[in-house]
Amino acid sequence: MKLYLKGLKAGIPIGLGYLSVSFTFGIMAISLGFSWWQAVIISAFTLTSAGQLAAIQVMVNPGQYFTMLISQITINMRYSFMSVSLSQKVSKRFSGIKRWLLGFFMTDEIFAVASTEDKVEPVFFLGLSTLPWIGWTLGTLLGALIGNILPPIIMASLCIAIYGMFLAIIIPPAKKSKPILIVIIVAALLHCAFYYLPLLREIPSGISISVCAILAAVSGAIFFPIKDKEDADNA
C-alpha cells in the first residue's frame, strides 16, 4: 500500500498536466464531429496525445485504415523503446501479465518519473499511472462536454493549446542542442512541403506525418551521429 501511495503522489503533477492537455483534445474531437462519449473512449483506451491527435484527423476520412496503422506505429514506436529501457530497472515481481497490463500506461512523463526509481515495483507503477489516466480521461470528458456549448470561434482558439504543449516539449532541447534544432526545422519544412506542394498535398495526413518523422530522424542520424562511449574516449 505504501508503494502505491508513493506512486500516486508522484503522479499528481502528471495528472494535473494531462487534465489541461486532454481538455483541448476533447474540444478538438467535438469540433471534428465526434460525440462526447467517443472522445472519452478514445482517451480511456489509448492514452497518447500525439497518437490521438493524428488518429482523429484520419478517422474523419473513413476507409484510411492503412494510413492510420502506419501513422500510429510511427508515432507510438517510442513507447516500445521506453518499455525496453525501463524493463532493465523493474523488479522480478514485474513480470507476465503485469507487464502487458501496466505497459498500457507507458507515456513520456510516466516513463521519466519511473526511470528515477532504483527499482520499479508493479504496485508503484500502478499508483504512478492512476492519476495521469484519470486526468487524461476526465479532461477529455470536460473538454468534450464544454465543447458542445462553446461558440465555434472559442473552440477553434482553444484547439491551439494542444500544439502549445508540443512546442513546450521541443523548444527547450532545441535551445540547448543545434542538431535537435536542425532536425525540428527539417521536419517542419517537410511538413510544409506535404501541405502546400500540389502532388504531395494529395498524400493522406497520416502517411505524411510518418514520412516527415522518419526522414527528419534519418537526417539527424546521418549528419549528427551520436558517438559510442568508446569512440568518444578514443577521439
Side-chain angles (χ1 to χ4, degrees):
M1 190 65 180
K2 290 183 178 180
L3 282 176
Y4 179 80
L5 292 176
K6 178 183 176 182
L8 200 68
K9 183 179 179 180
I12 292 176
I14 304 175
L16 293 175
Y18 283 2
L19 182 68
S20 59
V21 174
S22 61
F23 181 89
T24 306
F25 172 76
I27 293 177
M28 290 188 68
I30 291 298
S31 68
L32 291 174
F34 290 87
S35 301
W36 68 267
W37 60 270
Q38 292 173 322
V40 172
I41 287 178
I42 291 173
S43 285
F45 291 96
T46 309
L47 199 61
T48 165
S49 56
Q52 291 179 213
L53 182 62
I56 61 175
Q57 301 287 345
V58 177
M59 290 168 68
V60 295
N61 300 303
Q64 296 186 0
Y65 301 114
F66 179 74
T67 299
M68 184 181 297
L69 174 65
I70 296 300
S71 63
Q72 293 305 306
I73 289 177
T74 305
I75 294 172
N76 296 317
M77 187 173 291
R78 70 186 190 279
Y79 295 132
S80 300
F81 295 116
M82 291 178 190
S83 298
V84 171
S85 175
L86 192 63
S87 68
Q88 308 304 310
K89 304 186 69 173
V90 300
S91 69
K92 294 182 179 180
R93 288 185 287 272
F94 210 137
S95 60
I97 194 171
K98 294 179 182 177
R99 292 197 179 193
W100 287 88
L101 294 176
L102 296 179
F104 163 79
F105 296 106
M106 183 65 70
T107 66
D108 304 271
E109 293 77 14
I110 291 176
F111 167 76
V113 174
S115 297
T116 62
E117 295 291 308
D118 295 328
K119 182 175 292 185
V120 181
E121 296 288 346
V123 177
F124 169 81
F125 194 83
L126 178 61
L128 175 63
S129 306
T130 299
L131 292 181
W133 181 82
I134 292 175
W136 189 257
T137 306
L138 179 60
T140 300
L141 173 62
L142 295 175
L145 293 177
I146 294 177
N148 280 318
I149 60 177
L150 290 176
I153 188 172
I154 296 180
M155 288 178 58
S157 300
L158 290 174
C159 286
I160 300 175
I162 199 166
Y163 297 105
M165 179 197 72
F166 296 130
L167 289 175
I169 293 173
I170 64 175
I171 288 178
K175 293 171 65 177
K176 298 178 181 179
S177 173
K178 184 178 179 180
I180 292 178
L181 175 61
I182 293 176
V183 170
I184 292 172
I185 293 174
V186 170
L189 292 175
L190 287 171
H191 183 72
C192 289
F194 277 98
Y195 189 84
Y196 290 108
L197 295 183
L199 293 179
L200 294 180
R201 67 187 304 174
E202 302 299 326
I203 298 176
S205 61
I207 297 296
S208 65
I209 291 173
S210 301
V211 172
C212 292
I214 293 173
L215 290 180
V218 170
S219 67
I222 293 174
F223 295 106
F224 308 104
I226 298 177
K227 294 183 178 180
D228 293 334
K229 186 176 181 181
E230 294 181 0
D231 295 335
D233 294 336
N234 296 330

